[in-house]
Amino acid sequence: MVSRARRRQYLPILSWIGGYRGDTFAKDALAAVIVTIMLIPQSLAYALLAGLPPQVGLYASILPLVAYAVFGTSRSLAVGPVAVVSLLTATAVGQVAEQGTAGYLAAAILLALLSGAFLTAMGLFRLGFVANFLSHPVISGFITASGLIIAASQVKHILGVEAHGETLFRLVSALFHQLADTNIPTLMIGVMAIAFLFWVRRGLAPCLKKVGMKATTASMLAKAGPVLAIVVTIALTAIFRLDQQGVAIVGDIEGSLPPVAVPSVDLNLLRSLVGPAILISIIGFVESISVAQTLAAKRRQRIDPDQELIALGAANIASGLSSGYPVTGGFARSAVNFDAGAETPAAGAYTALGISLAALYLTPLLTFLPKATLAATIIVAVLSLVDIRAVGETMRYSKADGASMLATIIFTLGFGIETGVVAGVLLSLSLYLLKTSRPHMAIVGLVPGTEHFRNVDRHDVVTDDKVITLRVDESLYFANARGLEDIVYDLVADNPTLEHFVLMCPAVNSIDASALESLEAMNARLKDSGVTFHLSEVKGPVMDRLKRSHLLADLTGEVFLSQFAALSTLTPALVDGARDGAHPQAAAR
Amino acid sequence: MVSRARRRQYLPILSWIGGYRGDTFAKDALAAVIVTIMLIPQSLAYALLAGLPPQVGLYASILPLVAYAVFGTSRSLAVGPVAVVSLLTATAVGQVAEQGTAGYLAAAILLALLSGAFLTAMGLFRLGFVANFLSHPVISGFITASGLIIAASQVKHILGVEAHGETLFRLVSALFHQLADTNIPTLMIGVMAIAFLFWVRRGLAPCLKKVGMKATTASMLAKAGPVLAIVVTIALTAIFRLDQQGVAIVGDIEGSLPPVAVPSVDLNLLRSLVGPAILISIIGFVESISVAQTLAAKRRQRIDPDQELIALGAANIASGLSSGYPVTGGFARSAVNFDAGAETPAAGAYTALGISLAALYLTPLLTFLPKATLAATIIVAVLSLVDIRAVGETMRYSKADGASMLATIIFTLGFGIETGVVAGVLLSLSLYLLKTSRPHMAIVGLVPGTEHFRNVDRHDVVTDDKVITLRVDESLYFANARGLEDIVYDLVADNPTLEHFVLMCPAVNSIDASALESLEAMNARLKDSGVTFHLSEVKGPVMDRLKRSHLLADLTGEVFLSQFAALSTLTPALVDGARDGAHPQAAAR
């Protein structure tokens, strides 16, 4: 039993393949047809973005899908080349090889293998939680900024010029210098394709619905817009031989299945690709798991993040072994797969079959495909991910989160995508640490007629000159323990009549060794000052741990279960006076 | 008024110099005499540890004390050369210059200036909180490990051999190779000095107390032990001309006041010393502020951490301008100053006068001082700081804190002190982030007959199949938000009869933008699953912020003030049944 459970854990295919029936096949097959039609232009375009020959995009959309079908836990995820990972690949591989050389392709293949190995290892060691340290504002800012960079990097194909750069500034300035060399036929194709694709995205589905088509069918058909753009521009280019007028075309591609081979490994190359492989793995995993979770929740299905790491690892290793480049689960494509009715990961395997047929028989037809058309599909796809307004919205909710997002955008645009995401992560972690290092604290008093205690600055409460109660709204740990000491010592220095100091801990979820040290120091120093130190409302698990220390034995005062019990013991007269709602000595404000 | 308050803030001397009277002078002067006697051997020894000529230790004990008297907020802190900072100086300067050269001294002076500038800048920008990120286990582990390294680095002077290394392993192996060259007279002086100093530390004060001396006087006299050791070994060496038998001596020192000069600055040198200067500043500040706080609390006095940064910055700049090296407030010395009755920072200025006299007139007497004696005083002083047992104690209280301490010790011993402290800080921060990323959560049920809710796994409580209440014992932020989503989705997938999900937030002190996004996603996904999403016991400040978001408008359920109100609304039958203590459907365990 245990070994079968373990087999099922690592091979999720076993949990559905046994009960696979005809009606499920029909649904999966239909979804596969629709996803295939969407994936063909996408995989060609993203290969272009990654700086690779177009067929590599198709290769990366065959075996990886089969691998995911075997190992994946999502019923709807569609893996393959995606925009951000393609850009990361271009950046990483561009640093070690010249685009268009055999070395460039070899490095991209090695990157897929490395990323696959890293993802698999993370999954086996159950390290999926690492992705949690990428905050939402950082991811959102990163997607917006990389969308802008990707779009800018494709403008050269629309203009028919050469321009390279990893930051927005360099790309724009390179394009500006080449503006005079713009190829007019290329520009016309590119602009027309962009306009058409934007219209398809925004206007087609409503039109189709107006003429009586079902909403889902209409939006599904709209996804085929890129295919139409490709067919039309191929026809135009072939008929008018626009390639002879300077329109860059994809050119001859040999129709074949992906060559399966274990690549030879260059150790120096390996070493220089390890960093980018880790970054690609984590970002690809975050993108993939987000969409998988969203779709699974809609059908009350379950995703195992660690098994997803293994599945994405297997997909990337499959990609590397079949001349592909790094892949992951894509947002748009998976949503289409889900909406089209895919019920099991088998739909992915059928899509792989569709792409195989395309790789074998469609490639000769792609000779006259203008690169400008592919660039147009990329630009339209990524610009829909750009969301500048989110900065304002996030800033309104939380300045720290807004700052993280803005910093990620600025660093990504200004210093490249690797620097951008690293800067964003470090900033968001630092701001979190900074916030917890300065916890909210309040001196509290008794609300007359109740057993409740509230901030003396915000409420009309009663207090006593001989007793100060400080409530701390955060766990106590090294970064805030010394700050708490400072505040307590200042309070003691400012209140010469003080006899009792109560630290109220209802929101203290833990006390680490440094904070324990600080509490012991406070206890000792308050004793030197003639003030008794008490605790109140200490949580069970925190108390369990404190019992393992000297603090409770050394404490000059008591640990009270409730703050009301504390005040009733320390200053019964005040409590009696406040019982009937009188204010013997109400705090100002 | 404002400008006077600001003057007093930045020049704390103004707050006491006006009321300075004769009796205060008498107390300060007595403390100064005692501290001077203690400081002379210390400053000579620490200069040796830093690899500098002995008079540099005296120079670093004159103007810095005057600067601190003007700018410092502690009434008792005694600044000057200290062990750890001297070792850090030796490490940093040893990387850019050869010991014994003019360049070595110039680099140490530049290091003091850099450290002074950095401390002052931190103080002006009120960045004192940065030191809070050094946790107590990291500091404690660092002090233990650097104590061992310092002691090991001095053994060569006891053996009379040459041995260098920055890690314990290299030091020990270097000493082992030189063992055959041990100089017997040196070894005898060294071992006798160590034995004597240990006896003075452990046995002298009790002896003096037995013969009727007051405890404070006895322990004060015991502090003069190093002076006695110096006098006796100088006499022995001079009389028997042990220097001609291979005993290394301090040699001729020209008696003079420190030469005051602005050193010329080499930009390359500057650049390579910036990192060590920052580390020295932060570690020195932590050591100094700890002792200042401890002593101030005993007299209900107050320390301003940011002004302390400025004061230590001024002290280091003064040291750099007078041929000194980095200084800070020392533990032992400040405690002696306090016990001897120092009432104002003027005591430090009088100590400076005492050291000036020593620098002018005492240096000729130090010619025959054996380096072994100075090494013995260092070894005895630092070994008292080594506390290996603290690892076990800390580990018992908290495994994470124990691991940080152990890692700091191992990395410091094995890879040098800079690597050690950086590794410790990074590990302690990572462990804290990891802990908060996996918060304690509990499914809770109603305790029959009460309005209290407790963990279903720990208590005998009542629950309902249609309602799940999850209590989260941590603030929600990006690192734990996705984990919470996973748990919620799993609960929903596992409970097909579920209708209401309540997130109970009494310990949630904040919700950041990522967690807000997760709550919105949960709300939407639970809606897709036909489950209503509620919140309960949301704190006031958290609620204020949520009102700025879409969550409350989109929420499928309600926000309940209390969990009891939530259950009373969602499943009144259960609440009615439990009112009289019956268990209609008690959860197992």
Side-chain angles (χ1 to χ4, degrees):
Chain A
M1 272 311 279
V2 170
S3 83
R4 186 191 286 179
R6 180 141 312 165
R7 270 211 306 277
R8 286 207 170 194
Q9 184 196 332
Y10 287 117
L11 288 171
I13 189 175
L14 298 176
S15 65
W16 56 266
I17 197 119
Y20 202 70
R21 292 193 317 274
D23 58 335
T24 315
F25 168 75
K27 284 182 184 167
D28 284 349
L30 176 67
V33 170
I34 293 169
V35 172
T36 304
I37 291 171
M38 185 180 176
L39 188 50
I40 292 171
Q42 274 195 358
S43 55
L44 298 171
Y46 291 147
L48 182 74
L49 170 56
L52 292 162
Q55 67 272 26
V56 175
L58 295 173
Y59 296 166
S61 308
I62 301 174
L63 287 191
L65 280 69
V66 178
Y68 184 83
V70 174
F71 294 102
T73 61
S74 164
R75 299 291 176 102
S76 325
L77 195 71
V79 300
V82 305
V84 168
V85 168
S86 298
L87 176 65
L88 284 165
T89 301
T91 305
V93 174
Q95 279 160 5
V96 296
E98 190 71 30
Q99 203 168 311
T101 63
Y104 191 90
L105 177 58
I109 290 172
L110 185 58
L111 193 62
L113 287 173
L114 269 177
S115 171
F118 184 73
L119 285 162
T120 308
M122 275 182 74
L124 292 174
F125 289 110
R126 314 197 77 69
L127 297 179
F129 70 87
V130 166
N132 294 343
F133 290 96
L134 278 170
S135 77
H136 190 270
V138 169
I139 294 172
S140 165
F142 175 72
I143 288 175
T144 286
S146 53
L148 289 173
I149 289 182
I150 291 170
S153 77
Q154 297 307 301
V155 172
K156 66 182 177 197
H157 294 301
I158 304 290
L159 299 178
V161 300
E162 283 294 314
H164 294 286
E166 282 171 19
T167 67
L168 192 66
F169 176 74
R170 284 204 199 138
L171 274 169
V172 170
S173 93
L175 286 170
F176 192 77
H177 282 102
Q178 302 290 322
L179 217 53
D181 298 340
T182 303
N183 179 274
I184 301 299
T186 307
L187 182 65
M188 284 171 63
I189 289 179
V191 169
M192 274 165 45
I194 290 176
F196 172 73
L197 291 170
F198 264 120
W199 174 76
V200 163
R201 212 166 246 269
R202 301 263 167 90
L204 183 60
C207 276
L208 292 175
K209 269 187 276 180
K210 256 188 211 152
V211 300
M213 198 176 275
K214 272 206 305 185
T216 46
T217 321
S219 85
M220 212 67 76
L221 257 183
K223 305 283 187 213
V227 174
L228 195 59
I230 284 176
V231 170
V232 171
T233 54
I234 287 178
L236 284 174
T237 310
I239 293 167
F240 299 108
R241 289 311 298 258
L242 294 178
D243 56 313
Q244 290 172 356
Q245 296 179 40
V247 172
I249 56 173
V250 163
D252 285 329
I253 314 170
E254 205 191 335
S256 78
L257 288 176
V260 174
V262 177
S264 67
V265 171
D266 172 348
L267 270 184
N268 277 327
L269 187 63
L270 192 85
R271 220 167 292 142
S272 58
L273 289 177
V274 164
I278 293 174
L279 191 69
I280 285 176
S281 300
I282 292 178
I283 288 177
F285 173 61
V286 170
E287 174 163 357
S288 186
I289 196 88
S290 308
V291 61
Q293 298 270 31
T294 306
L295 299 178
K298 291 194 178 177
R299 292 193 188 144
R300 284 203 181 194
Q301 289 165 352
R302 202 186 279 186
I303 301 297
D304 173 356
D306 290 314
Q307 178 62 27
E308 280 300 288
L309 279 167
I310 294 173
L312 289 177
N316 274 291
I317 290 172
S319 190
L321 294 179
S322 57
S323 292
Y325 75 105
V327 295
T328 194
F331 278 113
R333 192 184 309 160
S334 300
V336 168
N337 194 36
F338 181 88
D339 289 339
E343 292 225 324
T344 75
Y350 308 150
T351 304
L353 192 67
I355 300 285
S356 301
L357 295 173
L360 276 175
Y361 303 113
L362 211 63
T363 41
L365 303 177
L366 297 176
T367 307
F368 286 101
L369 173 57
K371 289 185 175 177
T373 309
L374 292 177
T377 66
I378 296 177
I379 288 173
V380 174
V382 296
L383 283 186
S384 72
L385 302 176
V386 172
D387 186 3
I388 297 283
R389 277 188 314 169
V391 178
E393 280 169 26
T394 308
M395 195 69 88
R396 250 196 309 286
Y397 181 74
S398 149
K399 287 207 182 59
D401 283 311
S404 299
M405 191 185 284
L406 201 59
T408 309
I409 293 177
I410 291 170
F411 273 84
T412 305
L413 294 181
F415 301 95
I417 49 178
E418 298 189 352
T419 314
V421 74
V422 170
V425 168
L426 291 182
L427 185 67
S428 58
L429 289 174
S430 304
L431 288 175
Y432 171 72
L433 290 170
L434 200 59
K435 197 184 67 181
T436 59
S437 78
R438 293 173 167 179
H440 181 250
M441 301 186 193
I443 296 176
V444 297
L446 179 62
V447 180
T450 74
E451 296 193 2
H452 296 300
F453 288 78
R454 293 282 182 276
N455 192 337
V456 296
D457 289 340
R458 286 190 174 205
H459 299 86
D460 200 10
V461 293
V462 296
T463 56
D464 184 321
D465 281 352
K466 295 200 294 288
V467 183
I468 286 184
T469 303
L470 184 71
R471 194 191 68 213
V472 187
D473 293 347
E474 186 71 61
S475 292
L476 297 179
Y477 79 113
F478 56 90
N480 60 30
R482 246 182 309 246
L484 174 64
E485 281 191 66
D486 290 349
I487 287 168
V488 171
Y489 300 150
D490 281 356
L491 283 173
V492 171
D494 287 344
N495 291 278
T497 60
L498 190 66
E499 290 175 16
H500 300 283
F501 188 93
V502 187
L503 192 68
M504 188 178 168
C505 309
V508 174
N509 297 311
S510 67
I511 292 179
D512 80 349
S514 303
L516 176 70
E517 198 74 25
S518 285
L519 291 178
E520 281 172 349
M522 278 186 248
N523 183 53
R525 294 181 197 179
L526 261 54
K527 190 179 178 181
D528 288 341
S529 307
V531 176
T532 316
F533 185 47
H534 309 271
L535 301 174
S536 76
E537 307 198 3
V538 180
K539 293 191 170 190
V542 177
M543 198 65 192
D544 289 350
R545 184 156 285 197
L546 287 182
K547 283 179 184 152
R548 282 187 258 156
S549 76
H550 298 294
L551 180 67
L552 299 181
D554 297 343
L555 199 66
T556 52
E558 289 180 54
V559 181
F560 295 102
L561 277 180
S562 76
Q563 177 56 28
F564 189 72
L567 219 61
S568 302
T569 308
L570 301 177
T571 169
L574 180 87
V575 172
D576 286 341
R579 186 149 295 157
D580 36 280
H583 286 217
Q585 194 175 356
R589 270 203 276 180
Chain B
M1 269 311 278
V2 171
S3 84
R4 186 191 285 179
R6 179 140 310 164
R7 270 209 307 277
R8 286 206 170 197
Q9 184 196 333
Y10 288 116
L11 288 171
I13 188 174
L14 299 178
S15 65
W16 55 266
I17 197 117
Y20 203 70
R21 291 193 317 275
D23 59 335
T24 316
F25 168 76
K27 286 183 184 169
D28 285 348
L30 175 67
V33 169
I34 294 169
V35 172
T36 303
I37 291 171
M38 183 180 178
L39 188 50
I40 291 170
Q42 273 194 0
S43 55
L44 297 171
Y46 291 146
L48 183 75
L49 170 56
L52 292 163
Q55 68 271 29
V56 175
L58 294 174
Y59 296 166
S61 308
I62 300 174
L63 287 191
L65 281 68
V66 178
Y68 185 83
V70 174
F71 294 103
T73 61
S74 163
R75 299 292 176 102
S76 325
L77 195 72
V79 300
V82 305
V84 168
V85 168
S86 299
L87 176 66
L88 283 165
T89 301
T91 305
V93 174
Q95 279 160 6
V96 297
E98 191 72 29
Q99 204 167 310
T101 63
Y104 191 91
L105 176 59
I109 290 172
L110 185 58
L111 193 62
L113 286 174
L114 269 175
S115 173
F118 184 73
L119 286 162
T120 308
M122 275 182 75
L124 292 175
F125 289 110
R126 315 197 76 71
L127 297 178
F129 70 87
V130 167
N132 293 343
F133 290 94
L134 278 170
S135 76
H136 190 269
V138 169
I139 295 171
S140 165
F142 175 73
I143 287 175
T144 286
S146 53
L148 288 172
I149 289 183
I150 291 171
S153 76
Q154 298 306 303
V155 172
K156 65 182 177 198
H157 295 299
I158 304 290
L159 299 178
V161 300
E162 282 294 314
H164 294 286
E166 283 171 19
T167 69
L168 192 66
F169 176 75
R170 285 206 198 135
L171 275 168
V172 171
S173 94
L175 287 170
F176 192 78
H177 282 103
Q178 302 291 323
L179 217 51
D181 299 338
T182 302
N183 179 275
I184 301 298
T186 306
L187 183 64
M188 285 172 63
I189 288 180
V191 170
M192 273 166 44
I194 290 175
F196 172 72
L197 291 170
F198 266 120
W199 174 76
V200 163
R201 211 166 247 270
R202 301 263 167 88
L204 182 59
C207 276
L208 292 175
K209 269 186 275 181
K210 257 188 211 152
V211 298
M213 197 176 276
K214 272 208 304 188
T216 46
T217 320
S219 84
M220 211 67 76
L221 255 184
K223 304 284 185 211
V227 173
L228 194 59
I230 283 175
V231 170
V232 171
T233 55
I234 287 176
L236 284 175
T237 310
I239 292 164
F240 298 108
R241 288 311 299 256
L242 295 178
D243 55 315
Q244 291 172 357
Q245 296 180 42
V247 171
I249 56 171
V250 163
D252 285 330
I253 313 170
E254 201 191 335
S256 78
L257 287 176
V260 174
V262 177
S264 66
V265 171
D266 172 347
L267 271 182
N268 277 326
L269 187 63
L270 191 84
R271 221 168 288 143
S272 58
L273 289 177
V274 165
I278 293 175
L279 191 69
I280 286 177
S281 300
I282 292 178
I283 289 178
F285 174 60
V286 170
E287 175 163 357
S288 184
I289 197 85
S290 307
V291 61
Q293 298 269 31
T294 307
L295 299 178
K298 291 194 180 177
R299 291 192 190 146
R300 284 203 182 193
Q301 288 164 352
R302 200 186 280 188
I303 300 298
D304 172 358
D306 291 313
Q307 179 61 28
E308 280 300 289
L309 279 167
I310 294 173
L312 289 177
N316 275 292
I317 291 173
S319 189
L321 293 179
S322 58
S323 292
Y325 74 107
V327 295
T328 195
F331 278 113
R333 190 183 310 161
S334 301
V336 168
N337 194 35
F338 180 89
D339 289 340
E343 293 225 325
T344 74
Y350 308 150
T351 305
L353 190 68
I355 301 286
S356 300
L357 295 174
L360 275 176
Y361 304 112
L362 210 63
T363 42
L365 304 177
L366 299 175
T367 306
F368 286 101
L369 172 57
K371 288 185 175 177
T373 309
L374 292 177
T377 67
I378 295 176
I379 289 173
V380 173
V382 296
L383 283 185
S384 72
L385 302 176
V386 171
D387 185 3
I388 296 284
R389 276 187 316 167
V391 178
E393 280 170 25
T394 308
M395 194 70 90
R396 249 194 313 285
Y397 179 73
S398 150
K399 287 206 181 63
D401 283 311
S404 298
M405 191 187 283
L406 200 59
T408 308
I409 292 176
I410 290 170
F411 274 83
T412 305
L413 293 181
F415 301 95
I417 48 177
E418 298 189 355
T419 313
V421 75
V422 170
V425 169
L426 290 182
L427 184 68
S428 58
L429 289 174
S430 303
L431 289 174
Y432 171 72
L433 289 171
L434 200 60
K435 197 184 67 182
T436 58
S437 78
R438 295 172 166 178
H440 181 251
M441 300 187 196
I443 296 177
V444 296
L446 179 63
V447 181
T450 73
E451 297 191 2
H452 295 301
F453 288 78
R454 292 283 181 274
N455 193 339
V456 298
D457 290 341
R458 286 189 173 203
H459 298 88
D460 201 11
V461 292
V462 296
T463 56
D464 184 320
D465 280 351
K466 296 200 294 288
V467 183
I468 286 183
T469 302
L470 184 71
R471 194 193 66 214
V472 187
D473 293 346
E474 186 72 59
S475 291
L476 297 178
Y477 80 112
F478 57 90
N480 60 30
R482 245 182 312 248
L484 173 65
E485 280 191 67
D486 289 349
I487 288 168
V488 171
Y489 301 149
D490 281 357
L491 283 172
V492 171
D494 287 344
N495 291 279
T497 60
L498 189 65
E499 291 174 16
H500 299 282
F501 189 92
V502 186
L503 193 68
M504 188 177 166
C505 309
V508 174
N509 297 312
S510 67
I511 293 179
D512 79 348
S514 303
L516 176 70
E517 198 74 25
S518 286
L519 292 178
E520 281 172 350
M522 277 185 245
N523 183 52
R525 294 180 198 180
L526 261 54
K527 190 179 179 184
D528 289 340
S529 307
V531 176
T532 315
F533 184 48
H534 308 270
L535 301 174
S536 76
E537 306 196 4
V538 179
K539 293 191 171 189
V542 177
M543 198 65 192
D544 289 348
R545 183 157 284 200
L546 287 183
K547 282 179 185 154
R548 280 188 258 156
S549 75
H550 298 295
L551 180 67
L552 299 180
D554 298 342
L555 200 67
T556 54
E558 289 178 53
V559 181
F560 295 102
L561 277 179
S562 78
Q563 176 57 26
F564 189 72
L567 219 61
S568 302
T569 307
L570 302 177
T571 172
L574 180 88
V575 172
D576 286 341
R579 186 149 295 157
D580 38 280
H583 285 217
Q585 195 177 353
R589 271 201 281 176

